[in-house]
Amino acid sequence: MARKNQKAPWEDEEEIIWVSKTEMKNDMIVLQKLGEELVELKPSVLAKFPLPDDLAAAIKDAQRFKNEARRRQLQYIGRLMRNIDPEPLQAALDKLRNKHSQNTAVLHKLEQMRDRIVEQGDDAIEEVMTLYPEADRQRLRLLARQAKKEKQGEKPPKASREIFQMLKTLNDQEF
């Protein structure tokens, strides 16, 4: 019986890529860990992933199992994942993990925009109007003046919070 990586003598010369047993085992472990991460997800989130039917059913089963049955099911999931391309699953999982940090960055950007509106007034409001044409310019001006007065009088920043909520609503409408 011929080895998998050997060529027959009558075949053309090609570069043979040797894959060691350890390397194959490490690849399988990586796939199994990816499967474990998928099992840990909630069913509602998992429904958005591009999963084949048999893999989705195996993951659903693994979520019910405990102890040894779960370990064996995770190995089965790893074996099923050898037959599919794991890149789309990994990309979707990375996107899911990164969603929180993206939301945080957007909120920081909105906070900075709010601070500029309070500090600079009309110049910053013009920037907001170019970004969000549906924004209420008069309401923003009124809130900016109130926020400035609150800041000078060392009162609670009620108007500043309203500006932030207004910006957040405008940003959410955009997407």
Side-chain angles (χ1 to χ4, degrees), residues 6-154:
Q6 281 186 336
K7 65 175 185 61
W10 58 86
E11 292 179 355
D12 292 334
E13 286 286 327
E14 288 185 17
E15 184 179 336
I16 298 173
I17 300 173
W18 292 98
V19 180
S20 69
K21 204 172 186 181
T22 306
E23 195 174 340
M24 289 191 304
K25 192 172 182 179
N26 287 340
D27 290 344
M28 287 183 248
I29 290 171
V30 168
L31 288 175
Q32 189 173 337
K33 287 189 191 280
L34 180 62
E36 286 178 40
E37 290 181 48
L38 292 173
V39 168
E40 297 300 322
L41 296 175
K42 294 179 183 175
S44 60
V45 175
L46 200 58
K48 299 174 186 173
F49 278 71
L51 296 172
D53 293 337
D54 55 346
L55 183 60
I59 289 173
K60 189 176 180 183
D61 288 341
Q63 290 174 336
R64 292 183 302 118
F65 296 155
K66 300 281 185 237
N67 302 331
E68 183 65 17
R70 183 181 175 101
R71 183 190 65 79
R72 286 193 314 267
Q73 188 70 12
L74 288 173
Q75 286 179 334
Y76 175 65
I77 289 170
R79 188 173 44 198
L80 287 176
M81 291 185 67
R82 287 183 224 159
N83 301 329
I84 64 168
D85 182 23
E87 293 299 321
L89 294 176
Q90 187 67 50
L93 202 57
D94 291 342
K95 188 176 181 182
L96 182 71
R97 283 190 211 119
N98 196 15
K99 198 172 194 176
H100 176 70
S101 59
Q102 287 176 344
N103 287 341
T104 305
V106 167
L107 292 178
H108 285 305
K109 185 184 106 182
L110 293 176
E111 286 174 353
Q112 291 171 351
M113 195 180 296
R114 174 205 56 205
D115 294 341
R116 276 200 319 267
I117 288 172
V118 173
E119 300 286 324
Q120 299 172 359
D122 286 339
D123 295 333
I125 291 174
E126 284 301 319
E127 289 177 33
V128 171
M129 293 307 294
T130 56
L131 286 173
Y132 309 108
E134 65 277 2
D136 185 2
R137 183 187 311 258
Q138 282 189 313
R139 180 81 177 135
L140 273 174
R141 283 186 177 149
L142 176 69
L143 290 172
R145 283 195 302 269
Q146 285 178 352
K148 218 174 217 179
K149 285 180 185 177
E150 289 170 354
K151 195 173 186 180
Q152 289 170 352
E154 296 181 13

Side-chain angles (χ1 to χ4, degrees), residues 151-167:
K151 195 173 186 180
Q152 289 170 352
E154 296 181 13
K155 294 181 180 178
K158 181 181 176 191
S160 191
R161 286 189 196 118
E162 276 189 62
I163 293 172
F164 180 77
Q165 287 302 318
M166 189 176 187
L167 292 173

